[in-house]
Amino acid sequence: MWTADRLRKAFLSFFEERGHVVVPSSSLIPRKDPTLLFTSAGMVQFKPLWAGEVPLPYTRAASVQKCLRLSDIENVGKTIRHETFFEMLGNFSFGDYFKEEAITWAWEFITEVLKIDPSRLYVSVHPEDEESCRIWREKIGIKEERIYKFEDNFWGPAGGTGACGPDTEIYYDLGAEFGECGLGDEECDRYIELWNLVFPQYNQRKDGTREPLKNRGVDTGMGLERLCMIMQGKKSIFETDVFIPIIERIQELTEVKYTENPIPFRIIADHARAVSFAITDGAYPSNEGRGYVIRRLIRRALVRARELEIKGPFLYRLVGTVSEIMKQAYPEVEEAKERVAAIVKSEEERFLRTIEGGMALFVELVERAKKENKPIIDGKDAFKLYDTYGFPLDLTVSLAREEGLSVDEEGFELAMEEQRRKAKESAKFYTEEKEEWNVITEGEQKFVGYDTLEIETEVLAWRGKDRVEIILKETPFYGEAGGQVGDTGVIEGEGFRMRVENTVVTGAGIACIGKPEGEIPQRVLARVDRKKRLSTARNHTATHLLHAALRKVLGEHVRQEGSLVAPDRLRFDFTHFKPLSPEEIEEIERIVNEKIYENIPVETLWMEFDEAIKAGAIALFDEKYGKEVRVVKIGDFSMELCGGTHVKSTGEIGIFKIKEEGGIASGVRRIEALTGLSVYEYLKEKEVLLSEILKKAGGKEKDIIQRIENMLERMKEFEKMNRSYEEELVRVLKEKIRGEKTGEVEVVWEKVKGSKQMLRMLADEIRKRGKTVGVLYRENAAIFLVAFVSDDLVNKIKAGTIAREIGRVLGGGGGGKDYLAEAGGRKPENLPAAKQKLFELCSNLT
């Protein structure tokens, strides 16, 4: 059988025998191409070779490239061939062979190695590409009626710039059972594109113009999954050996069979592959860029899982199946599977909590639509679900379909467009009109702060009144940028002095801000606060060490999301899917301090951007860099693009201590840390605190742990006694508390003294009486209430609706499950109105 592994090996061996260098697949995340979120074709890693930007390491290459494209996402699962993640078999020529060899070898591999029947093959060419047409006709012997000419037989470039040119495509006829249509009909699956041979002849610039390529050549791409489908005799790519084990694993998680409803199976299997590979290569779920693509794929899979009656997190369970299928070709997926599964599960749980939060509103919308006999959910309401609770439109559509309703998708898009318009307006910020710059000296500014903290220089310009901004010709002051705070210090001249309170980067240059004393002269002495600058430099270098240590301990998925580098502390935000364990924090601290004690020289180098990335320097994905960049290198441990100030060697940092670690957003953690004297001061504070605890608790330092443990044990005993008391109280109160009868329904409104847990237990017991709806509440600093509905009434009224409506009356909010929900508020004076609201909500239950 022609398995995927066998096909990969056969393809690479065929071209290796013909003088091609076998090149490993590059990462799904293009390290050197800012125009692409993901690697979308086999040629992406070879762009510089065609453009002549680098010396050619070889003139012929072959690869099996992992790719990710979102252009066909809406068709995934609906057709036999569309997918987001796929593998592309490709052979490439850089100024070596051209059309004749490429076409001849492609035909030879397909018909002689794979033994595909030539009578089932057709080709297409660009109308102006007479050379390719002639080769097919005269060299290969393809009859004229099997050669089609299409205007869109022109490929590229990937990302809008780079190599491009005419192409010729080879199609396979699957047979009449797949449709009665002609070649090129996108609505029909009969003729499936098998291999695309692109002939890059031009380099497309950003402005759309083209120039001849320095190294014209060949770029071919054949989808492995489609080839598997043909060679394995399957009716879709989803029945091949790269998909079917995933589909079988999904079937184990549901009672629904693939044959009963194949589309959700296909979508989930495809997205599991895409997510597994993308996270392995360093992508991470977030709200922007490639992170949003990952988040969207995970959420789409969860939405589709509802059709299979899968309710909880499940996609993470497919990661191991994906790695098992792909580990021979891509061992990195196997190595990363546990980390990937943990990230996916965390993201799934987060989204499921989001869904739970918005379900109460969705239920309310369904009830309203049915009550008003409307077959559709309003677009504005669907947008509210999206905007407030993160419900994707396809989730709302899917849930509405289950209720026999549709969604006003056009209205949703209008509401989305209105939000974009408002966001655009709010993004415009207005400030007090700045005064024009008062120019004193002509010239350009130069930053000299890497080399000196004090310099005699001239004032180029200034503006302001009570507080002014001054731009110096040579400035040692570092302007706030890259997370590092601006310098402070002093500017002095004849009859003039200004304490620099901050330094910022303006459109005119680096400006020092302060309150001037005297008239601003032409020549001044500029002096940076040395103590603060050195403290800031310690923290900045420590931030680089921390970043490298995090990647070493947690994995290379760690990416900087923000930072603050100040004289007294540092703060570092980074991607990670769970809190750090005490052991991980200890290990990170140990590594950073080890590198400090090694006293490693800190080098700063100026390099070409591409050269720096190739050397392994870390760059921020969303940051804009020039052609030449500054690289900060700490031995073999850390290498980052950075414009900030640093110590000359790590020993100057002194000591490093993590003060705090916590989450600030989904998938984003924050570390606050200290260096140098700040660590000493922090430890002194801890020492004072420990002394106070010893005084209060009595005894010696070595006894304090035992004393605390004894106190905690006594607290547990008290809690256990209190829990027993509350359980006994619930048994009494559940019989004592009675509501008012509204027809056959009992409506309860009762004030109860007790813990939140006690109110929950009591509500759950009362609702077991049947035909019961009610609210139990308590008054402390704020009002807490539990709404409940007996099982025989949940199809008529939801506890979540009651909690939310009464919460609003009390100046708060609430929500929860259909049978038990909670709310809070801070307006006790509205309790009578809240009670009235409960009875209004229950008025239609009789």
Side-chain angles (χ1 to χ4, degrees), residues 538-550:
R538 290 187 191 98
N539 284 333
H540 204 149
T541 305
T543 300
H544 284 220
L545 293 176
L546 171 62
H547 191 186
L550 284 166

Side-chain angles (χ1 to χ4, degrees), residues 384-397:
K384 185 177 180 182
L385 279 168
Y386 166 80
D387 195 39
T388 307
Y389 296 102
F391 269 46
L393 179 60
D394 49 4
L395 172 59
T396 306
V397 170

Side-chain angles (χ1 to χ4, degrees), residues 205-402:
R205 304 184 187 93
K206 287 183 179 178
D207 61 6
T209 59
R210 294 175 184 152
E211 61 183 351
L213 273 179
K214 183 176 180 181
N215 298 314
R216 75 171 192 174
V218 172
D219 156 26
T220 83
M222 175 162 53
L224 175 66
E225 296 79 7
R226 294 184 184 190
L227 185 60
C228 285
M229 172 186 160
I230 292 168
M231 297 305 295
Q232 294 171 19
K234 303 299 182 182
K235 294 186 182 296
S236 81
I237 62 171
F238 301 101
E239 294 167 26
T240 64
D241 64 333
V242 291
F243 272 103
I244 206 66
I246 308 172
I247 287 170
E248 289 172 348
R249 179 71 179 110
I250 298 169
Q251 282 191 139
E252 294 172 7
L253 303 175
T254 174
E255 295 181 2
V256 182
K257 298 300 179 186
Y258 172 69
T259 52
E260 297 170 8
N261 188 8
I263 290 178
F265 280 93
R266 293 173 173 183
I267 292 172
I268 291 166
D270 170 81
H271 291 6
R273 281 163 38 101
V275 166
S276 295
F277 272 88
I279 295 178
T280 294
D281 281 358
Y284 196 89
S286 69
N287 284 329
E288 56 187 26
R290 59 176 64 99
Y292 181 69
V293 172
I294 305 309
R295 177 160 286 170
R296 183 184 176 197
L297 290 170
I298 292 172
R299 291 183 172 189
R300 287 184 94 249
L302 282 168
V303 170
R304 287 297 182 169
R306 295 180 65 87
E307 297 178 39
L308 305 180
E309 299 178 9
I310 301 174
K311 300 299 183 185
F314 79 99
L315 195 64
Y316 75 97
R317 296 184 181 182
L318 305 182
V319 173
T321 308
V322 173
S323 68
E324 185 63 30
I325 298 166
M326 309 297 276
K327 66 183 180 182
Q328 189 169 336
Y330 305 99
E332 67 270 21
V333 182
E334 174 72 11
E335 292 166 9
K337 67 181 181 182
E338 292 181 7
R339 173 177 65 83
V340 174
I343 292 172
V344 172
K345 186 180 182 184
S346 173
E347 183 66 18
E348 287 186 276
E349 289 172 340
R350 179 182 183 276
F351 183 53
L352 290 170
R353 287 194 297 270
T354 296
I355 291 176
E356 188 175 338
M359 280 305 293
L361 175 57
F362 176 78
V363 169
E364 183 183 322
L365 295 175
V366 171
E367 289 175 350
R368 187 198 307 164
K370 290 182 176 179
K371 189 175 180 180
E372 297 173 0
N373 291 318
K374 288 184 177 179
I376 191 167
I377 291 176
D378 188 87
K380 289 182 179 178
D381 291 328
F383 179 75
K384 185 177 180 182
L385 279 168
Y386 166 80
D387 195 39
T388 307
Y389 296 102
F391 269 46
L393 179 60
D394 49 4
L395 172 59
T396 306
V397 170
S398 175
L399 293 173
R401 193 184 299 121
E402 292 175 15

Side-chain angles (χ1 to χ4, degrees), residues 471-670:
I471 293 181
L472 304 173
K473 189 171 184 179
E474 294 91 13
T475 181
F477 290 92
Y478 180 86
E480 182 177 341
Q484 180 173 325
V485 299
D487 277 332
T488 60
V490 174
I491 298 175
E492 296 177 310
E494 188 175 345
F496 171 80
R497 190 175 193 277
M498 185 180 87
R499 178 162 294 281
V500 177
E501 301 166 2
N502 193 15
T503 306
V504 298
V505 179
T506 71
I510 299 171
C512 299
I513 301 172
K515 191 171 182 178
E517 298 174 16
E519 189 173 326
I520 299 173
Q522 183 174 1
R523 292 200 62 79
V524 292
L525 174 67
R527 187 167 61 248
V528 174
D529 185 318
R530 182 177 297 273
K531 184 178 178 182
K532 284 188 176 179
R533 164 66 86 81
L534 293 179
S535 293
T536 303
R538 290 187 191 98
N539 284 333
H540 204 149
T541 305
T543 300
H544 284 220
L545 293 176
L546 171 62
H547 191 186
L550 284 166
R551 290 169 65 86
K552 187 177 180 69
V553 174
L554 305 179
E556 292 196 358
H557 66 281
V558 169
R559 185 182 71 242
Q560 180 176 337
E561 287 291 311
S563 67
L564 171 69
V565 179
D568 58 336
R569 71 192 191 284
L570 68 91
R571 186 180 73 212
F572 190 75
D573 301 337
F574 60 98
T575 52
H576 192 54
F577 51 91
K578 63 179 181 179
L580 272 61
S581 68
E583 293 76 18
E584 286 170 331
I585 291 174
E586 184 178 341
E587 178 64 6
I588 291 161
E589 278 188 344
R590 186 194 66 76
I591 290 172
V592 173
N593 281 302
E594 187 178 85
K595 297 303 173 185
I596 289 171
Y597 298 150
E598 288 176 12
N599 198 26
I600 304 168
V602 179
E603 302 175 74
T604 54
L605 314 165
W606 286 94
M607 304 171 70
E608 294 269 332
F609 175 78
D610 288 344
E611 182 189 354
I613 298 301
K614 189 175 180 181
I618 294 176
L620 299 181
F621 174 70
D622 295 323
E623 193 75 23
K624 301 295 182 186
Y625 295 101
K627 189 174 182 181
E628 192 176 41
V629 292
R630 184 170 180 262
V631 178
V632 175
K633 186 173 184 291
I634 308 174
D636 296 327
F637 186 67
S638 169
M639 189 176 182
E640 295 191 32
L641 305 191
C642 179
T645 62
H646 291 267
V647 295
K648 288 183 169 58
S649 62
T650 57
E652 293 179 38
I653 298 170
I655 190 170
F656 171 85
K657 176 68 182 172
I658 293 176
K659 185 179 178 183
E660 194 174 324
E661 187 275 336
I664 59 169
S666 175
V668 181
R669 311 294 300 174
R670 170 173 288 176

Side-chain angles (χ1 to χ4, degrees), residues 177-193:
E177 64 176 297
F178 287 86
E180 291 293 342
C181 57
L183 191 145
D185 184 353
E186 282 295 317
E187 301 301 315
C188 176
D189 287 325
R190 175 172 175 171
Y191 297 96
I192 189 167
E193 179 195 328

